Amino acid sequence: MRIALTLAAMAVCLCGVFPFLSLAAERPAIVELEVHPPRMELAHVRDARRVIVSGKTADGTRYDLSAEAKLAPAGDGDLIRIDGDGFVVPLKVGETALEVSAAGRTVRLPVVVRDVSEKPVSFVDEVQPILGKVGCNAGTCHGSQQGQGGFQLSLRGYDAEFDYRALVDDVAGRRFNRSRPEQSLMLLKPTQGVPHEGGFLFDEESRAYAVIRQWIAEGCRYESVPRPESIGVHPEQPVLASPGDVQQLLVIAHYPDGATRDVTREAVFDTTSFEVATVDQSGLMRAVRRGQAGALVRYEGHYAVAQATIIGAREGFVWKDQPEANFIDEHVHSKLQRTKILPSETCTDAEFLRRIHLDLTGNPPTAADVRAFLVDERDSQSKRLAKIDELLDGPGYVDYWSLKWSDLLLANRRLMSEKGMWAFRNWIRNALATNRPYDEFVRELLIANGSTWENPAANYFRTAEKPNEVMANMTQVFLGTRFQCNECHDHPFERWTQTQYYELAAFFGDVGRKDGAEKGEQIIYTLAKPQTVAHVGTGQRAAPKFPFEVPGHAVDPDASALRPQLAAWLVAPENPYFARSLVNRYWSYFLGKGIIEPVDDLRANNPPTNPELLDALTADFVEYEFDLKRLVRLIVTSQAYQRSVETNEWNADDADHFSHALPRRLGAEQLFDAIMLATGAPPNIPGVPADFRAVHLPDAQVQLAFLDMFGRPPRETPCECERTSDVSLKQTLTMINGPTVSNAIIHPQGLVARLARENASPERIVEEVYLAALCRMPTDDESARNVAYIGEVGDAQEAAQDLLWALINSPAFLFNR
């Protein structure tokens, strides 16, 4: 009895430490069975297919029952059989059905067998995927840049012909024994028949062994076969109720002729967060704890993601209907409802005013702005909409967003001369002031020729001189991809290859540069004969080629210029990355986090947290002709943007679904300007006019140590990571005891000095300081305590300085909330 109790206690302890060891919560009664696919067609003798079985409860919750389901051929069962791992295998041509039973219920799945004639094993479709499945062509094995043990394969099998030649022709073909296939090194090594540094990979009874053995026996043939054009995973967005629940995934390859193939056994699986959910190489996903994790699926150079949500314990949750301003809220609320998260309340008018001013203009509102907004008798929604339009049409919007785009486009006098930098900055400002469509803005940059002073957009080609560097900057900013990761080798996390890197860089081989008539001026022109962009791996000239197809855009190698072709392809509405990367980047500026994060690292194995939202924003941006102001207005008018930072019991642990506002530390320029505006002190930035604020500064060459300490980017790369929001002890000490804050507070032209000259009452001092620093009125309690403090100090000016210092050092000032 004591042993039983001890074991039970140990089980409880282990489940507390490792929640995936615990059993899933008791499952409610299943009222309906669902199977996928709803109909099955088997095209040839090795066309085995899997069935996903789901049970639906009365409240609509789905549970994966694939592991416990019983599959049996209907009738006499001579047309199909069920193999050991649950796949349906054809035996004879004809039509039949599969009986699927689980949770006391049974459904029938129609099955058609089209052909069972033998066909040779395909190296491309069958052998090479096995090599990828067991890891032979991984970057840590033979797929590395130098290979392993003198044997190299293409990384993740992107080059089937190269791999075939490496296997069959290398070392005089000694890896194969066609008369006795089982004596081939290709089978002896993975089964440990002979020593193998890669270890044991599969046994003689496995399907992998049987397929490779048959291929060797058939003569190790290579046949050109159609490659899949995409893969799909089912279910795309599984929802698992509790830790311990499982979901079997199904992977289907789609071919150009419309054919499909179940490649679940050949696909390679991984997870974006093993702390939330694991996935094994059979495609079985297991919930570990509440959260969101993606199951990453790879097959023959194609990628797919099943974004899983684990609900966890949410007893007592009841969804409450929420106000919706536009389609953004529909998609956000749909995801919140599915994941049982209740959003926060709408922020107050004062919170909104400070937030929208900082996000649209970079500066907080003045005390006069706050007073006027708070006493405005219009309903909250009306005056918020009016304020948004006012700020979007004002000069502050142009100032602040010119700063952000100057960061991304590397406006820097060190690279483009002082005059060129000012011309480039003013070109950016004009584009924002006139709300030039984003596609036109980018196109003009990429095709720019002429004097860098007369045609400022041409300065873009002074930020980098080598074609591959220009290309890497372009892809990171305008496609949201880090193409530089495949300069020396194939991309470790994506489908991009080293060859594609140089093919894309070749488009900038036609950029010519020469000195202009004046010092510092440069002329950008199109070379009659583009310079050679050599592939570092092969040493051969790389011909310009797009890394992926966009309908209606093909490279014309005989055209007089390459960049116009690249620009047309890049900004095409059908380009799957161009608009998508921009809306994701802009979303992160307002919500504190991208729908895909990092925002300049879009890839198949970095899925969006809300794909429907990202798709809808992208489609709207394209439909309205790349209108940036419309995109901004759409985001900031949404309820998702206007939520409070205060959380509730249902969303306190949410960091991915935009159920509440995320506090964002003010950027370097924002913080400096906010200090000067709150204290009323003039900026006095060295080397610029007296009325210049930090957001007006053209580049980082204007020396101001405060800005560099708080993360101003040097504009050397277009990565968003250049601008940092990290918190350090040095920053804290600077705010508490540094000259920037203290000199501003005691400045004779500042707020405190003015209030002292006016002999303001303690009540007015507290009100003015709160309005200036926090952009809101003090509460009754705050007012009473601070009025009392002024009385205790006895010196109103000194007490006011203390209060202003305390508020400037508070999180409410340092963060945009």
Side-chain angles (χ1 to χ4, degrees), residues 110-152:
V111 180
V112 177
V113 180
R114 298 293 185 192
D115 190 3
V116 292
S117 59
E118 285 289 337
K119 73 167 193 171
V121 174
S122 165
F123 174 79
V124 175
D125 275 351
E126 298 177 88
V127 175
Q128 193 180 35
I130 291 174
L131 301 181
K133 183 78 170 185
V134 298
C136 295
N137 55 24
T140 55
C141 196
H142 299 293
S144 67
Q145 193 171 7
Q146 289 79 32
Q148 290 286 345
F151 175 42
Q152 182 182 10

Side-chain angles (χ1 to χ4, degrees), residues 781-796:
D781 180 60
E782 289 168 336
S783 181
R785 285 190 289 110
N786 285 292
V787 166
Y789 175 74
I790 293 172
E792 291 171 8
V793 172
D795 184 329

Side-chain angles (χ1 to χ4, degrees), residues 132 137 156 231 266-269 296-304:
N137 55 24
R156 299 189 301 275
I231 61 171
E266 292 85 1
V268 178
F269 295 89
L296 310 176
V297 185
R298 172 169 54 84
Y299 176 75
E300 286 202 31
H302 294 283
Y303 297 82

Side-chain angles (χ1 to χ4, degrees), residues 44 50 140 195 215 234 256 266 324 370 387 542 553 594 655:
H44 56 81
R50 177 163 227 155
T140 55
W215 177 67
H234 177 85
E266 292 85 1
E324 296 179 345
V370 177
K387 178 57 67 174
H553 296 273

Side-chain angles (χ1 to χ4, degrees), residues 587-604:
W587 178 270
S588 75
Y589 291 155
F590 293 104
L591 276 295
K593 189 173 187 177
I595 305 170
I596 297 175
E597 189 71 25
V599 298
D600 50 11
D601 194 15
L602 274 62
R603 45 189 162 86

